[in-house]
Structures are given as structure tokens and as C-alpha cells.
């Protein structure tokens, strides 16, 4: 029997990718890389790598002197290895070259980093590089035309909202730990961001009728888009949400953004969304600290663009969720 080192290396690479994807699913870390709607696709990839591994493993050992003529037919000619025959393909038995070494290194590098380095959660430093506030302002600016159209229509309705339309009194502000934050936030795990039309419409109805707008992870992005595109309609409404703290130069001392990363397909396309928030203790809270807040929506401004502003009445520090990212809602077709 003859052992072929390159064939063995190829087998290990295929097995490595299969095991890596399986480990990401088993530990739940897969949610740090892709939108949950692609879970089945990644599982299929792991299975395919495993299948190719079993095919490849048969080529690691061969009977010495035997040659596979079926795999190298040249119009009926035998694939000879003498010096007088041109041979344009590699059976994995030729010596290593610099070119091969570079090729294998490029393939092996993501495997090594995947197994040896912990998955890093995107934070405020990445938000800085992505232009967080420009992205947030852009979300609001894109809906300004519809906001202006609905302003007159919603005017009479907003007059009848009573106390809900009034900002919190100064003495209602509660700082730090021990505050009673509305429960109900949920982490997007598994397929919670997938729902039927009926489920989606029911959740969106809560945005219009609920006494407090609770930003559950499964519907967060839809609520955010609706509020950002029509701030006047939701002005005076009470909100409850959580996220990590983002700050940038130019903010007032009492300002920060309660932020989240929205992953549409994979982490490479993650965008920042969040609400500019104001409260006296903001200056004392460090970047990347996860906090829960309650407050009332008002209209703020960034670079002359109207954006939602939350006047915070209650806040508390909380733990980073197991799945810190948000994913757009996927409607299940029945």
C-alpha cells in the first residue's frame, strides 16, 4: 500500500470544514455569523463536506504500482508518467511546491482561525467604522416624504392620546439599578425571526395599539423602520428596549445611542440601528455596556436630519444576550 500525503491533507481539510460548521451549530455560535434563515443551507454544506471527505479518504492509500486509467483517459491513451508524455493534471502524488503550499495555506487559514480564535461580537468600534450615526440618520431621512404626508392625517389622532403623548416629568427619572423595567424582550434564537403573515400583522398591530412599544428581538427591525420613517406618528409613545451603548464625538454629555447590529445575510453585511437617548446618567456609562431603557419618543436631530430621540425615564445595566444580533423578519409561506 502506498500512502499519499497530499490526498490525506485534502481529506483532513474537508473533515475540518465539516466539523467546524457542526461545532458552530452545536454551540449556537452560528448565529454570530449568519442569518438564521440560512441554517439549513449551512447544515447542508457540512453534510456535503463530510460526504466529500469519505470519497477523498479512498484516495489516501493505493496499491503500489496501480494506476487509475479511468480518471485520466486521453482519447483512449493511457496516462503515462514517463518524461515524454505531457501530463497536465495532478493526482496528488507530485511533490509539494511553493504554489501548492500557498494554495493549501489559504484554504487552511479559516479553519485554524475558526478552531483557535473565539468568535468576536461586533461592538462600538465596528459601529464607528461603519458610520453608525450616518446610518441611523439615513434610515430616518429615507422616510421623510411619507412622514410629511401623514403628519396632517395623524394630527387629530395624536391629540387624543392623553398622558401617553406627554414627555415624562423630570421627577419621574429613575437612575441606575433597581428600576422596574418592563419585561418582554426576547432573544432571537432558532427561527424566532420567521413568522406567518398573521403573526407578523399581529405584532405590527401592537406597534399601533400597545400602551408601551416593546422591542422584542424578533420584530425589532420592523418596529425600528416604522418609527424612523414616521417619527411624528409615534412621538409621545412609551418604549422599552435594550442594546449596547454607542457614543461618538459631538454627543452631549447626557446622550448615547442604544444600539444593535442588524444582520441581513451574514455578519459581513451587518448594519447598525439604534435610538439616540438622553438622560442625566449617560455620561457615566461606558461604551459597549448593555443597558435596558424605558422612555418616551421625541424628535431629535443629527446633521439637520430628524431622528427618533428617546427621553429616558428608567434604565438599568443588563447582560449581553447570548445572541446579540438582530435579523430581519422572514415571512413563512404556508
Amino acid at each position: 500500500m502506498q500512502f499519499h500525503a497530499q490526498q490525506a491533507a485534502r481529506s483532513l481539510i474537508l473533515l475540518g470544514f465539516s466539523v467546524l460548521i457542526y461545532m458552530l451549530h452545536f454551540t449556537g455560535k452560528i448565529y454570530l455569523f449568519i442569518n438564521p434563515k440560512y441554517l439549513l443551507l449551512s447544515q447542508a454544506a457540512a453534510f456535503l463536506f463530510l460526504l466529500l471527505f469519505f470519497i477523498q479518504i479512498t484516495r489516501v492509500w493505493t496499491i503500489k504500482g496501480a494506476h487509475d486509467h479511468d480518471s485520466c483517459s486521453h482519447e483512449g491513451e493511457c496516462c503515462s508518467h514517463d518524461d515524454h508524455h505531457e501530463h497536465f493534471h495532478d493526482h496528488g502524488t507530485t511533490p509539494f511546491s511553493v504554489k501548492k503550499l500557498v494554495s493549501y495555506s489559504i484554504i487552511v487559514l479559516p479553519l485554524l482561525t475558526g478552531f483557535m480564535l473565539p468568535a468576536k461580537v461586533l461592538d462600538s468600534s465596528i459601529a464607528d467604522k461603519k458610520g453608525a450615526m450616518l446610518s441611523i440618520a439615513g434610515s430616518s431621512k429615507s422616510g421623510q416624504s411619507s412622514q410629511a404626508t401623514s403628519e396632517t392625517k395623524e394630527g387629530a389622532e395624536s391629540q387624543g392620546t392623553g398622558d401617553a403623548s406627554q414627555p415624562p416629568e423630570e421627577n419621574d427619572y429613575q437612575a441606575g439599578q433597581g428600576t422596574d423595567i418592563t419585561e418582554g424582550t426576547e432573544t432571537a434564537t432558532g427561527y424566532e425571526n420567521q413568522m406567518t403573515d398573521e403573526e407578523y400583522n399581529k405584532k405590527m398591530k401592537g406597534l399601533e395599539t400597545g400602551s408601551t412599544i416593546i422591542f422584542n428581538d424578533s420584530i425589532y427591525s420592523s418596529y425600528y423602520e416604522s418609527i424612523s420613517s414616521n417619527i411624528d406618528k409615534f412621538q409621545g409613545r412609551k418604549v422599552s428596549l435594550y442594546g449596547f451603548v454607542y457614543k461618538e464625538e459631538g454627543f452631549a454629555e447626557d446622550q448615547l445611542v442604544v444600539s444593535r447590529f442588524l444582520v441581513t445575510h451574514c455578519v459581513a453585511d451587518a448594519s447598525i440601528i439604534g435610538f439616540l437617548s438622553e438622560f442625566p446618567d449617560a455620561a457615566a456609562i461606558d461604551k459597549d455596556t448593555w443597558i435596558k431603557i424605558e422612555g418616551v419618543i421625541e424628535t431629535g436631530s443629527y446633521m439637520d436630519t430628524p431622528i427618533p430621540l428617546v427621553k429616558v425615564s428608567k434604565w438599568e445595566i443588563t447582560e449581553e444576550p447570548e445572541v446579540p444580533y438582530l435579523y430581519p423578519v422572514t415571512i413563512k409561506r404556508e
Side-chain angles (χ1 to χ4, degrees):
M1 297 288 286
Q2 185 174 3
F3 176 76
H4 302 288
Q6 290 185 55
Q7 300 288 11
R10 294 172 184 178
S11 299
L12 290 175
I13 289 172
L14 290 168
L15 181 62
F17 276 111
S18 181
V19 171
L20 178 60
I21 296 174
Y22 170 78
M23 285 179 56
L24 291 175
H25 279 271
F26 182 77
T27 60
K29 299 296 185 183
I30 191 70
Y31 297 108
L32 299 181
F33 296 95
I34 62 172
N35 187 312
K37 71 179 180 180
Y38 297 117
L39 289 181
L40 288 178
L41 188 61
S42 66
Q43 290 168 354
F47 175 78
L48 180 59
F49 279 124
L50 187 61
L51 179 62
L52 292 175
F53 162 74
F54 284 119
I55 295 174
Q56 180 65 27
I57 200 71
T58 62
R59 302 175 180 177
V60 175
W61 289 275
T62 59
I63 299 175
K64 193 171 184 179
H67 186 69
D68 185 2
H69 295 275
D70 294 333
S71 64
C72 54
S73 174
H74 295 278
E75 298 181 357
E77 296 181 3
C78 176
C79 182
S80 173
H81 289 272
D82 59 39
D83 295 335
H84 303 289
H85 183 79
E86 292 186 2
H87 194 67
F88 296 102
H89 56 273
D90 180 13
H91 291 282
T93 57
T94 57
F96 266 105
S97 63
V98 174
K99 183 178 179 180
K100 281 187 177 182
L101 186 60
V102 171
S103 299
Y104 279 104
S105 298
I106 292 173
I107 296 173
V108 170
L109 182 61
L111 276 178
L112 294 178
T113 56
F115 281 114
M116 300 176 65
L117 300 179
K120 178 176 172 57
V121 176
L122 301 182
D123 56 19
S124 60
S125 64
I126 304 298
D128 259 331
K129 295 175 182 177
K130 286 179 173 285
M133 286 306 298
L134 290 175
S135 177
I136 292 171
S139 298
S140 296
K141 190 173 183 179
S142 63
Q144 293 307 305
S145 57
S146 60
Q147 177 184 340
T149 302
S150 62
E151 184 174 349
T152 303
K153 181 179 178 181
E154 299 296 333
E157 182 178 335
S158 64
Q159 292 177 2
T161 57
D163 293 340
S165 64
Q166 301 300 320
E169 298 294 333
E170 187 68 27
N171 58 9
D172 285 341
Y173 176 78
Q174 299 182 40
Q177 308 300 313
T179 57
D180 184 19
I181 301 294
T182 302
E183 297 297 328
T185 54
E186 60 190 41
T187 301
T189 56
Y191 284 85
E192 289 182 8
N193 69 319
Q194 294 195 355
M195 58 189 74
T196 63
D197 279 318
E198 183 180 355
E199 291 170 335
Y200 178 76
N201 292 333
K202 183 178 180 180
K203 286 181 178 289
M204 291 304 294
K205 187 177 180 180
L207 177 63
E208 305 287 342
T209 61
S211 59
T212 299
I213 302 173
I214 300 176
F215 279 78
N216 292 328
D217 285 4
S218 59
I219 199 69
Y220 194 118
S221 61
S222 296
Y223 279 9
Y224 176 80
E225 182 179 355
S226 295
I227 293 173
S228 296
S229 63
N230 199 344
I231 306 171
D232 287 348
K233 180 178 180 180
F234 297 96
Q235 187 158 319
R237 294 287 301 279
K238 188 176 181 181
V239 294
S240 175
L241 58 105
Y242 74 111
F244 69 91
V245 171
Y246 170 77
K247 298 179 180 180
E248 69 176 42
E249 292 184 13
F251 279 10
E253 286 191 357
D254 63 345
Q255 289 183 331
L256 54 77
V257 177
V258 180
S259 315
R260 301 294 296 271
F261 276 101
L262 178 67
V263 176
T264 303
H265 300 292
C266 68
V267 71
D269 65 30
S271 57
I272 187 80
I273 61 176
F275 289 91
L276 182 64
S277 306
E278 287 186 355
F279 55 106
D281 292 335
I285 306 176
D286 294 331
K287 286 183 178 182
D288 297 317
T289 302
W290 281 78
I291 62 173
K292 290 182 180 180
I293 64 169
E294 274 189 8
V296 172
I297 296 175
E298 295 187 2
T299 301
S301 177
Y302 181 79
M303 296 182 67
D304 298 325
T305 299
I307 60 173
L309 170 68
V310 178
K311 286 287 189 178
V312 178
S313 58
K314 303 175 184 177
W315 73 275
E316 66 182 18
I317 293 176
T318 187
E319 295 292 327
E320 178 182 301
E322 184 178 350
V323 181
Y325 302 147
L326 301 171
Y327 312 97
V329 173
T330 299
I331 302 299
K332 294 186 291 187
R333 302 301 176 187
E334 298 181 339

